[in-house]
Amino acid sequence: AQSVTQLGSHVSVSEGALVLLRCNYSSSVPPYLFWYVQYPNQGLQLLLKYTTGATLVKGINGFEAEFKKSETSFHLTKPSAHMSDAAEYFCAVRGGGFQKLVFGTGTRLLVSP
Amino acid sequence: NAGVTQTPKFQVLKTGQSMTLQCAQDMNHEYMSWYRQDPGMGLRLIHYSVGAGITDQGEVPNGYNVSRSTTEDFPLRLLSAAPSQTSVYFCASSYSGVQSSYEQYFGPGTRLTVT
């Protein structure tokens, strides 16, 4: 069965600091991996995705993630945090069958001035 | 394209009442799904549909019904609301053709409170 573990329910950084949000997955099929962002009182918006090919994936708003098969990881990074990055971030993996996605429990990113 | 739309945005129900949460998409996606979001639990799949006339249960289906009479619409019905169904509900859709990347598009959500 597919599963996702996000380490840290809350991550705090200062504006301008490196952002690192961790995601580890378990999958019995070649993984398709996603990061979604949720701003307060809004739906989920796709940040980036890995399907096949290049393991370093660039997304919107300066975020990127690297697929590491040997570590079963797909960590999200951004070199310099901005106040507008404060949101909840969800990692997801293709689930078993059809179009299902399995989501992690989310990490809330707090950015302080 | 409006994408995925959901109505209502907010709803308060009394225990035992029933209601329908509406979801529609205009992207001609075959796959549609309903999730509930609760603090610390991420998104949990309630029901999903792979096309008109075909639905199936997800992880937490009890207390909810769905139907899919058209490609565009996928309503979620609460049969007899309970306080445990207080949550934020998201509808999502996805293209499921051969070249699908499994990316799901989400609606803005419905915040439901059951008293």
Side-chain angles (χ1 to χ4, degrees), chain A:
Chain A
Q2 282 62 242
S3 67
V4 172
T5 300
Q6 291 185 241
L7 290 175
S9 59
H10 292 79
V11 170
S12 295
V13 300
S14 299
E15 195 172 19
L18 171 71
V19 175
L20 171 60
L21 304 183
R22 298 179 187 275
C23 172
N24 288 90
Y25 71 90
S26 169
S27 178
S28 56
V29 297
Y32 285 19
L33 295 155
F34 305 82
W35 276 100
Y36 283 86
V37 60
Q38 183 182 32
Y39 298 105
N41 300 314
Q42 294 188 25
L44 277 72
Q45 176 185 359
L46 183 71
L47 264 183
L48 50 80
K49 63 185 176 187
Y50 168 80
T51 54
T52 59
T55 57
L56 183 62
V57 180
K58 295 187 185 301
I60 61 172
N61 301 338
F63 284 93
E64 62 182 36
E66 186 171 11
F67 168 60
K68 292 188 176 181
K69 185 176 179 181
S70 60
E71 299 177 10
T72 61
S73 69
F74 191 56
H75 301 331
L76 182 71
T77 61
K78 182 174 180 178
S80 177
H82 194 272
M83 296 295 289
S84 61
D85 295 326
E88 189 152 22
Y89 293 79
F90 292 92
C91 182
V93 66
R94 174 176 65 163
F98 302 112
Q99 299 293 107
K100 290 182 186 177
L101 293 183
V102 175
F103 286 85
T105 53
T107 298
R108 185 168 299 277
L109 177 65
L110 307 168
V111 183
S112 56

Side-chain angles (χ1 to χ4, degrees), chain A residues 34 36 38 49 98-99, chain B residues 37 94-95 100 102-104:
Chain A
F34 305 82
Y36 283 86
Q38 183 182 32
K49 63 185 176 187
F98 302 112
Q99 299 293 107
Chain B
Q37 182 182 23
S94 176
Y95 168 67
S100 173
Y102 289 72
E103 174 184 349
Q104 293 195 9

Side-chain angles (χ1 to χ4, degrees), chain B residues 11-108:
Chain B
Q11 183 70 49
V12 179
L13 289 179
K14 294 188 188 305
T15 298
Q17 288 184 318
S18 62
M19 78 160 296
T20 299
L21 280 62
Q22 301 291 345
C23 173
Q25 53 92 9
D26 61 0
M27 297 173 283
N28 202 32
H29 286 167
E30 300 88 347
Y31 182 85
M32 296 185 73
S33 56
W34 277 101
Y35 296 90
R36 59 178 290 172
Q37 182 182 23
D38 301 291
M41 304 189 76
L43 278 78
R44 294 182 291 169
L45 183 65
I46 305 172
H47 285 284
Y48 65 95
S49 168
V50 299
I54 307 170
T55 64
D56 205 347
Q57 297 180 351
E59 184 183 353
V60 288
N62 292 343
Y64 307 95
N65 270 1
V66 291
S67 59
R68 184 98 177 267
S69 56
T70 67
T71 299
E72 295 77 20
D73 300 298
F74 190 43
L76 177 73
R77 281 181 287 278
L78 279 70
L79 309 173
S80 177
S84 61
Q85 294 179 304
T86 293
S87 187
V88 182
Y89 292 84
F90 289 100
C91 180
S93 72
S94 176
Y95 168 67
S96 54
V98 173
Q99 299 298 322
S100 173
S101 67
Y102 289 72
E103 174 184 349
Q104 293 195 9
Y105 296 78
F106 284 81

